[in-house]
């Protein structure tokens, strides 16, 4: 039987409805009512839980008094991508989780949505809130135009330095532009935020420039006073199976990029779809392929629910969209007919006496027109090769608490360094690195 893969399993209107934003923007009345729920705690736990340390009670108080510009400035001073973060932060594990209103009788203040409300106001009305310090004459190279690189570039530009961002793609934005789920973040929002960041001046963006192809780290260290590396995770983990390149098996991140960039009604969608993985990439893949009209979507993870990278809320989003989540099973064999995927066999897993995951020998087969691999990305250090390269730890670039690498004039941050892989942490890494670079340039 041949694979059942088609475009337009749903009609274009249904698809467009399915991909409308997860949260509608708040109205003025909703924002005022919601901000009035905040208790304006003194040592606010939400601020402590926010990786970028935004003064959350401070910005909510400003919304309550109608000072949206002031609220946005409070947010963007700490997190220049506060608009994206308001849409995509896993708030249920960060600021909103620790809100004192988050009790069995009440619910947390919707901090993320208020943050988006205030910053939308500034980005839509194109109000530039930041000014550059007098020009310092120092030049910094930033590799990668994702959240880490852009955050670092913006802070350095504010401090008066001249920045050149080298970005291998044609457009900046990193995974904000081509990775975040389309229903969490409509496409033009990422570009709008990048334009706002660049509008401060002093940032020269060079797209189509890939470190390791035509220029090396040693060239940047020679030509610039300091270098920041924010190249993300530039490689995708493989299942390690014999025929995993067969038609019908895809890298989830590649397909998610198509969802963000292409006409949704032209994308190939299987009737039976299996997604392998347990993180937010796996969840985003399952939810989006379901929204494109796949009939049965099963996500299979090798460990238990509690060990998934995806939060409880994300698991719920998948389940309420009709996704079946199966745990404790690992892919064993890809089954084909006439070189075309037809099913995937899994083996049940358990932990052995040493706590190591192992196969039980029992298997089951899921019919599949499409299989998406979402088992994580990795750093390919090849672009860093040269005379001297920064030390690595567990496959990522080793940094100290100031995002400083083992090389005296090189800093790094975001997904290419250890830590949680989130937009908000990448932004914080870039900010911390910029402040440390500024200190180094001023005081050696
Ligand atoms: C599918 C998916 C969904 C996600 N959903 C969420 C979410 O809902 N919420 C959340 O907070 N986080 C989410 N994340 C994580 C978040 O997107 C990342 O943590 C964040 O983008 C990391 O920023 P970064 O700048 O380190 O890397 P990236 O965003 O990957 O940016 C790196 C940039 O460097 C460029 N580059 C790479 N190599 C080179 C080179 N050699 N030379 C020059 N440029 C180079 C790349 O083109 C890219 O533009 C998701 C990630 C994925 C994959
Ligand atoms: S940046 Fe994210 S974690 Fe911080 S306050 Fe905003 S939504 Fe919460």
């Amino acid at each position: 039987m041949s694979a059942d893969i088609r475009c337009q399993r749903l009609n274009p209107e249904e698809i467009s409805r399915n991909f409308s934003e997860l949260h509608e923007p708040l109205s003025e009345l909703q924002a005022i009512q919601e901000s009035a729920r905040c208790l304006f705690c003194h040592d606010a736990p939400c601020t402590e839980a926010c990786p970028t340390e935004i003064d959350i009670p401070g910005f909510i108080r400003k919304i309550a008094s109608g000072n949206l510009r002031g609220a946005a400035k409070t947010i963007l001073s700490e997190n220049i991508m506060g608009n994206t973060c308001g849409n995509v932060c896993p708030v249920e594990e960060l600021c909103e989780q620790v809100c004192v209103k988050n009790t069995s009788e009440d619910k947390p203040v919707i901090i993320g949505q208020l943050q988006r409300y205030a910053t939308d106001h500034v980005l839509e009305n194109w109000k530039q809130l930041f000014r550059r310090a007098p020009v310092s004459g120092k030049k910094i190279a930033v590799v990668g135009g994702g959240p880490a690189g852009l955050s670092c570039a913006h802070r350095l530009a504010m401090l008066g330095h001249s920045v050149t961002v080298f970005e291998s793609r044609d457009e900046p934005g990193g995974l904000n532009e081509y990775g975040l789920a389309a229903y969490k973040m409509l496409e033009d929002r990422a570009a709008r935020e990048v334009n706002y960041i660049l509008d401060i001046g002093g940032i020269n963006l060079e797209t189509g420039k890939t470190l390791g192809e035509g220029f090396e780290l040693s060239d940047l260290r020679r030509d610039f006073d300091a270098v920041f590396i924010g190249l993300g995770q530039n490689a995708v983990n493989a299942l390690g199976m014999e025929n995993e390149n067969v038609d019908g098996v895809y890298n989830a991140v590649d397909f998610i990029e198509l969802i963000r960039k292409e006409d949704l009604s032209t994308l190939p969608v299987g009737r039976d779809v299996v997604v392998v993985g347990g993180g937010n990439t796996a969840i985003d893949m399952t939810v989006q392929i379901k929204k494109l009209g796949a009939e049965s979507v099963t996500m299979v993870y090798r460990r238990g629910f509690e060990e998934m990278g995806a939060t409880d809320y994300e698991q719920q989003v998948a389940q309420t969209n009709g996704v079946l989540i199966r745990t404790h099973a690992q892919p064993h064999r890809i089954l084909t007919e006439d070189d075309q995927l037809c099913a995937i066999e899994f083996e049940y897993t358990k932990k052995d006496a040493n706590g190591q995951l192992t196969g039980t020998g029992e298997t089951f087969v899921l019919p599949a027109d499409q299989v998406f691999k979402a088992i994580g990305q990795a750093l390919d250090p090849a672009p860093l090769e040269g005379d001297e390269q920064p030390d690595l730890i567990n496959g990522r670039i080793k940094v100290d608490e100031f995002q400083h690498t083992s090389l005296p004039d090189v800093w790094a941050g975001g997904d290419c360094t250890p830590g949680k892989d989130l937009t908000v942490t990448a932004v914080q890494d870039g900010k911390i690195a910029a402040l440390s670079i500024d200190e180094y340039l001023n005081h050696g």
Side-chain angles (χ1 to χ4, degrees):
M1 201 178 68
S2 64
D4 185 353
I5 299 180
R6 285 188 271 141
C7 307
Q8 293 196 19
R9 285 192 169 274
L10 302 176
N11 67 47
E13 292 74 35
E14 284 173 297
I15 294 178
S16 145
R17 211 171 31 248
N18 284 350
F19 278 83
S20 58
E21 279 186 299
L22 190 59
H23 299 296
E24 285 286 314
L26 297 178
S27 67
E28 186 181 351
L29 180 63
Q30 286 170 320
I32 299 285
Q33 283 172 342
E34 188 61 23
S35 56
R37 293 183 61 236
C38 181
L39 299 179
F40 307 113
C41 306
H42 178 56
D43 289 321
C46 50
T47 293
E48 274 183 40
C50 169
T52 51
E53 296 166 18
I54 292 172
D55 173 8
I56 295 167
F59 92 71
I60 294 182
R61 195 186 289 278
K62 287 176 185 151
I63 293 179
S65 66
N67 177 8
L68 290 190
R69 187 187 167 105
K73 188 153 191 188
T74 302
I75 297 161
L76 299 176
S77 301
E78 294 301 340
N79 180 341
I80 194 60
M81 292 197 159
N83 190 258
T84 293
C85 288
N87 284 296
V88 307
C89 267
V91 287
E92 65 281 3
E93 286 203 332
L94 298 172
C95 51
E96 293 183 18
Q97 185 192 38
V98 297
C99 175
V100 295
K101 291 231 159 198
N102 190 12
T103 63
S104 49
E105 290 85 44
D106 207 346
K107 53 189 173 62
V109 174
I110 46 173
I111 297 167
Q113 290 185 64
L114 285 173
Q115 182 170 308
R116 173 181 162 184
Y117 174 76
T119 50
D120 266 349
H121 169 77
V122 160
L123 267 65
E124 269 158 22
N125 299 304
W126 207 250
K127 293 190 171 125
Q128 186 49 262
L129 299 177
F130 301 98
R131 236 190 243 159
R132 295 191 70 199
V135 174
S136 69
K138 302 287 186 191
K139 296 187 302 172
I140 297 100
V142 167
V143 181
L150 290 172
S151 159
C152 184
H154 186 265
R155 185 58 57 137
L156 287 167
M158 265 173 79
L159 293 164
H161 306 305
S162 302
V163 187
T164 302
V165 178
F166 297 94
E167 165 55 51
S168 54
R169 289 177 173 254
D170 294 337
E171 285 169 290
L175 286 165
N176 283 4
E177 182 63 38
Y178 56 84
L180 296 176
Y183 62 91
K184 284 188 194 165
M185 181 85 178
L186 297 183
E187 198 212 317
D188 60 341
R189 291 183 164 276
R192 184 182 69 168
E193 191 169 60
V194 170
N195 289 335
Y196 187 80
I197 288 172
L198 298 179
D199 185 59
I200 189 169
I203 306 174
N204 168 32
L205 173 66
E206 300 225 5
T207 52
K209 294 280 173 63
T210 302
L211 181 69
E213 293 179 15
F215 66 102
E216 294 185 353
L217 187 54
S218 55
D219 299 317
L220 298 181
R221 295 179 68 198
R222 184 192 60 226
D223 298 341
F224 292 85
D225 297 298
V227 180
F228 175 80
I229 302 169
L231 47 72
Q233 294 194 308
N234 46 354
V236 179
N237 291 336
L239 293 174
M241 284 182 185
E242 210 179 284
N243 51 355
E244 73 178 83
N245 294 325
V246 77
D247 269 1
V249 180
Y250 309 74
N251 285 324
V253 282
D254 296 339
F255 202 88
I256 286 172
E257 178 170 355
L258 294 179
I259 296 174
R260 278 199 69 96
K261 294 283 159 201
E262 301 293 324
D263 175 353
L264 295 175
S265 60
T266 65
L267 296 180
V269 179
R271 190 187 55 204
D272 295 319
V273 175
V274 176
V275 177
V276 184
N280 58 10
T281 303
I283 296 279
D284 287 354
M285 189 63 241
T286 58
V287 172
Q288 295 190 99
I289 202 78
K290 194 84 180 100
K291 284 176 183 287
L292 284 168
E295 245 172 68
S296 102
V297 180
T298 310
M299 172 172 150
V300 185
Y301 178 53
R302 63 195 172 129
R303 298 175 189 274
F305 280 102
E306 60 297 340
E307 289 172 279
M308 275 187 187
T311 65
D312 291 351
Y313 171 73
E314 286 170 325
Q315 293 171 28
Q316 273 168 29
V317 169
Q319 285 164 332
T320 50
N321 275 280
V323 173
L324 174 68
I325 303 182
R326 293 186 68 161
T327 58
H328 298 104
Q330 61 194 10
H332 189 233
R333 208 156 48 110
I334 286 168
L335 306 175
T336 57
E337 264 177 22
D338 301 329
D339 289 331
Q340 173 74 45
L341 170 78
C342 65
I344 174 164
E345 185 177 70
F346 288 88
E347 180 183 24
Y348 286 106
T349 60
K350 63 170 186 189
K351 284 194 180 154
D352 66 16
N354 301 322
Q356 296 293 317
L357 202 68
T358 168
T360 65
E362 286 172 88
T363 60
F364 63 92
V365 171
L366 293 177
D369 302 305
Q370 289 177 313
V371 166
F372 293 98
K373 299 181 280 181
I375 51 168
Q377 290 86 250
L379 170 68
D380 171 5
L384 304 172
E385 278 165 14
D387 297 343
E388 275 190 295
Q389 61 187 77
D391 291 346
L392 303 184
I393 182 166
N394 297 330
R396 302 205 188 191
I397 301 173
K398 187 176 171 193
V399 287
D400 66 12
E401 77 237 67
F402 305 109
Q403 302 300 131
H404 204 170
T405 71
S406 55
L407 300 176
D409 51 349
V410 181
W411 282 253
D415 287 2
C416 64
T417 57
K420 280 201 169 176
D421 295 338
L422 294 173
T423 303
V424 65
T425 46
V427 171
Q428 178 70 353
D429 287 355
K431 182 177 88 184
I432 297 285
L435 296 172
S436 176
I437 292 171
D438 181 60
E439 179 74 18
Y440 163 82
L441 295 176
N442 290 328
H443 305 292

